[in-house]
Amino acid sequence: MPDLAVDEERLWSDIMTLAQIGVLPDGGCDRLALTEADAAARSLLRYWFQQAGLNVSVDPIGNVFGRREGTQPGLPPVFVGSHIDTQSPGGKFDGVLGVLAGLECIRTLNRAGIKTRYPIEVVNWTNEEGARFAPGLMGSAVFTGQLDLAAAHASKDPSGVSVAEALTRIRHLGDAPMQRPVDSYFELHIEQGDRLQQAGHRIGVVIGSEFNCFADITCIGENGHAQATPMAQRRNPLAAAAELITAIEAIGHRNAPVGSAGVASLRLWPNNRINIPHRVVFTYSGTHPERAGMASMRHEIGEAAAAIARRTGIRIDVEASPDREAIDFDPALAVLVEEIATQQGFSTMRLRSRAGHDAIRMAPYCPTQMIFVPCKDGISHSEFEDCRSDDVAAGANVLLHALHARANRASDR
């Protein structure tokens, strides 16, 4: 199907339309997982699925699937998708591009009257962002059996609402089967970095992910009057936290450009302007392409915490989560995407994802491939996240032909 192409104008219109749900003043979006805004976006997505002739189902963690049947009964589906929940604030493209491009690929096949041997399912994964409920990548982790459903349902947001309660409230506690056979998974995404833009390439062929690390750090001191307590008597954990946050940032800079580390979340008690806090909690994260590099950054941060604790007398506890292992995507699918992009006249670049994506959960489960397109200045998780319409269409067209090639190949049976 050499001349087949997605409708660039319609795909762009869909992205802009969905962006109006949870729209923010500077053009971004706020659709935290399983909120009313997310529910409204899910309703629109399901309507579009039905318009495209897809059979819609929802599983017990709220993942939404739109299925286009294949011509050979019994074959497992080719999955394509991402997520439509956002950060707060978030952008128009992160996740959304992968879901709506998958839908537009189905529409394009429908318009051309092209059938495939394997079914194709467009999927919207629940709570990819992890901004309201922990952990992120939740829907894909539960679907693949890497996270227990009961544990996911029990996760609560800061106000005490559980995932199960939120799913029930927005009527997305479904019963579609999980851990079912999947032939393969494709995900189109903005890069969330500037490597493609800097190198001048249109298509990123993602060969896998990097190592990620996370840790919660708690600093314990003593309450006191913020004005009256003599300086010599103060045991202010916020001051110690500030030192350690600065140290972590410096460690990130020393490991750049390949590695990164920094703090993005800070809480303190009692958090008023007239009281020295007694407790401060913050979270750092880091990424590195090599296991040794990640271990070195962890060690440096631990040493910095210990040194600050000794000097200030503030108790500092570091609770590290297990590293998120680097994973490799399917080499044959990477070659397929590369060949298709080259045939369409797009320059390509092989790279690894620094951020987490649902594809990371799918990779151990079935052959998986991600496709990146440039985002302006590498900005994401921001109202100012942006992407060019022609880059969106380029990625969608590569995705279209990759889906067709995979779903229409001779079956293994």
Side-chain angles (χ1 to χ4, degrees):
M1 47 175 213
D3 298 326
L4 201 62
V6 300
D7 185 332
E8 178 179 343
E9 185 176 338
R10 176 161 183 169
L11 175 55
W12 189 259
S13 174
D14 286 349
I15 293 170
M16 295 302 113
T17 299
L18 197 64
Q20 295 307 303
I21 300 177
V23 66
L24 294 171
D26 289 321
C29 300
D30 187 337
R31 288 195 305 272
L32 289 175
L34 310 184
T35 57
E36 289 304 317
D38 187 28
R42 285 164 169 261
S43 294
L44 178 58
L45 182 65
R46 292 176 68 168
Y47 173 71
W48 281 341
F49 279 0
Q50 290 163 349
Q51 273 192 323
L54 304 182
N55 295 319
V56 180
S57 62
V58 181
D59 71 14
I61 195 60
N63 298 319
V64 180
F65 304 89
R67 181 181 176 99
R68 184 183 197 254
E69 292 296 345
T71 60
Q72 192 167 333
L75 293 179
V78 174
F79 271 17
V80 56
S82 195
H83 62 97
I84 60 173
D85 68 307
T86 74
Q87 289 287 330
S88 178
K92 302 182 184 77
F93 300 93
D94 177 2
V96 170
L97 173 59
V99 178
L100 296 186
L103 172 60
E104 180 55 30
C105 289
I106 295 295
R107 290 172 175 154
T108 305
L109 294 174
N110 288 348
R111 286 195 299 269
I114 294 174
K115 299 186 182 299
T116 58
R117 292 188 180 93
Y118 289 74
I120 300 174
E121 291 191 32
V122 186
V123 56
N124 169 42
W125 301 110
T126 293
N127 189 42
E128 190 272 355
E129 293 290 359
R132 181 184 178 194
F133 300 103
L137 314 183
M138 181 180 283
S140 52
V142 172
F143 178 87
T144 57
Q146 297 169 59
L147 176 63
D148 180 67
L149 175 62
H153 277 175
S155 177
K156 293 183 178 180
D157 70 7
S159 67
V161 176
S162 72
V163 167
E165 291 168 338
L167 284 168
T168 301
R169 185 177 298 168
I170 69 166
R171 299 178 297 281
H172 270 77
L173 187 63
D175 58 5
M178 297 183 294
Q179 288 99 64
R180 55 190 171 95
V182 177
D183 171 78
S184 51
Y185 175 68
F186 291 86
E187 184 169 353
L188 174 64
H189 210 282
I190 57 171
E191 181 194 345
Q192 297 181 290
D194 65 352
R195 290 169 291 178
L196 288 174
Q197 178 178 291
Q198 291 294 329
H201 293 298
R202 297 292 294 279
I203 299 296
V205 181
V206 188
I207 59 172
S209 68
E210 297 187 354
F211 290 91
N212 295 148
C213 70
F214 303 88
D216 292 326
I217 297 182
T218 301
C219 301
I220 302 293
E222 291 180 358
N223 292 131
H225 196 292
Q227 296 166 316
T229 304
M231 293 302 296
Q233 295 179 18
R234 298 185 184 210
R235 296 185 65 249
N236 187 347
L238 184 55
E243 286 192 50
L244 185 50
I245 290 168
T246 302
I248 292 170
E249 192 79 7
I251 290 165
H253 280 289
R254 287 199 296 273
N255 282 272
V258 293
S260 66
V263 173
S265 171
L266 177 69
R267 293 171 290 160
L268 58 151
W269 291 266
N271 197 24
N272 69 65
R273 66 180 184 171
I274 209 68
N275 219 32
I276 296 169
H278 63 275
R279 182 169 179 248
V280 177
V281 177
F282 61 93
T283 301
Y284 80 78
S285 64
T287 183
H288 202 284
E290 298 175 1
R291 186 185 301 277
M294 178 60 70
S296 176
M297 287 201 303
R298 287 270 209 195
H299 178 73
E300 284 189 75
I301 292 170
E303 289 289 297
I308 292 168
R310 285 193 299 270
R311 182 168 48 77
T312 63
I314 298 297
R315 174 180 161 188
I316 301 178
D317 298 327
V318 180
E319 184 179 353
S321 303
D323 286 351
R324 182 185 287 162
E325 293 290 309
I327 59 96
D328 295 323
F329 293 150
D330 187 82
L333 294 184
V335 171
L336 173 65
V337 167
E338 218 161 34
E339 290 176 346
I340 288 169
T342 300
Q343 289 166 7
Q344 295 187 5
F346 303 133
S347 60
T348 66
M349 176 182 180
R350 288 195 168 203
L351 70 175
R352 287 185 174 272
S353 174
R354 290 172 174 163
H357 300 285
D358 292 303
I360 292 172
R361 296 300 186 197
M362 293 300 291
Y365 194 76
C366 66
T368 294
Q369 183 58 42
M370 288 196 78
I371 301 166
F372 278 170
V373 293
C375 59
K376 184 179 179 182
D377 300 328
I379 296 170
S380 70
H381 286 195
S382 163
E383 287 195 71
F384 304 106
E385 178 182 288
D386 200 7
C387 191
R388 290 179 6 183
S389 177
D390 57 342
D391 285 334
V392 164
N397 279 316
V398 173
L399 178 66
L400 168 66
H401 287 259
L403 282 175
H404 178 262
R406 183 72 186 184
N408 209 39
R409 76 189 194 282
S411 70
D412 301 327
R413 298 186 181 183

